[in-house]
Amino acid sequence: MLAGADFDYHCHSNLTRAIMGHGLTESDVHDVLNVFQFAGLNENREYFMDTCPTQPGDYFEFFAETDLLCALSTCPGGDLSVHMWGPEAASTEEQLEHCHPLGVQVFSLAPEVLDAWRPPEPAQYRGRRGRHGLVAAPHPGRSPQRL
């Protein structure tokens, strides 16, 4: 939509297309991390989206302790302040008014900053990777499964 063309893409498919050139597939895409989006499941386990509470200049930063490939996707619905589908859906033009650019900065640390840092170690589980006695929550229509 940022290019002025309507399409049937969403955040997950955007990320899938972004990583394909790196020899990865959709199976390599983790669940979407909605950093600047207010969406989730309500108490009835129904998906909801609402207006993004962030403001220009808001940011987050993280330190990657393992090698990773990050892909960035902006929601075709922008900041979610207008309905994207259904009888109250905003027009493409109205949705475009709520699409805002995102910026990315990648920093390198001076080597001495990392002198005391050590890579994370695998958890020291004994036996069944720490899953002794755990039972998976039942999925509707299925019996509980022992891990």
Side-chain angles (χ1 to χ4, degrees), residues 13-33:
S13 63
N14 288 345
L15 297 175
T16 298
R17 284 189 311 285
I19 66 165
M20 289 175 70
H22 298 277
L24 302 170
T25 69
E26 183 175 8
S27 297
D28 297 304
V29 175
H30 189 277
D31 292 340
V32 173
L33 177 60

Side-chain angles (χ1 to χ4, degrees), residues 14-66:
N14 288 345
L15 297 175
T16 298
R17 284 189 311 285
I19 66 165
M20 289 175 70
H22 298 277
L24 302 170
T25 69
E26 183 175 8
S27 297
D28 297 304
V29 175
H30 189 277
D31 292 340
V32 173
L33 177 60
N34 293 325
V35 177
F36 293 120
Q37 190 176 62
F38 187 52
L41 298 176
N42 66 19
E43 62 278 355
N44 297 322
R45 303 183 99 185
E46 300 164 330
Y47 185 73
F48 74 87
M49 298 187 314
D50 204 350
T51 304
C52 179
T54 60
Q55 299 296 313
D58 285 354
Y59 69 94
F60 77 99
E61 60 183 65
F62 65 93
F63 175 74
E65 292 189 318
T66 62

Side-chain angles (χ1 to χ4, degrees), residues 73-86:
S73 170
T74 56
C75 180
D79 63 13
L80 306 181
S81 59
V82 296
H83 292 284
M84 292 173 50
W85 60 82

Side-chain angles (χ1 to χ4, degrees), residues 1-2 5-7 9 49 75-86 88-100:
M1 293 190 125
L2 291 173
D6 199 2
F7 56 88
Y9 296 156
M49 298 187 314
C75 180
D79 63 13
L80 306 181
S81 59
V82 296
H83 292 284
M84 292 173 50
W85 60 82
E88 300 173 10
S91 68
T92 299
E93 292 75 24
E94 291 170 314
Q95 289 182 37
L96 283 171
E97 291 175 20
H98 299 274
C99 290
H100 310 288

Side-chain angles (χ1 to χ4, degrees), residues 121-127 129-130:
E121 295 183 19
Q124 298 299 312
Y125 291 121
R126 294 182 317 230
R129 307 294 300 152

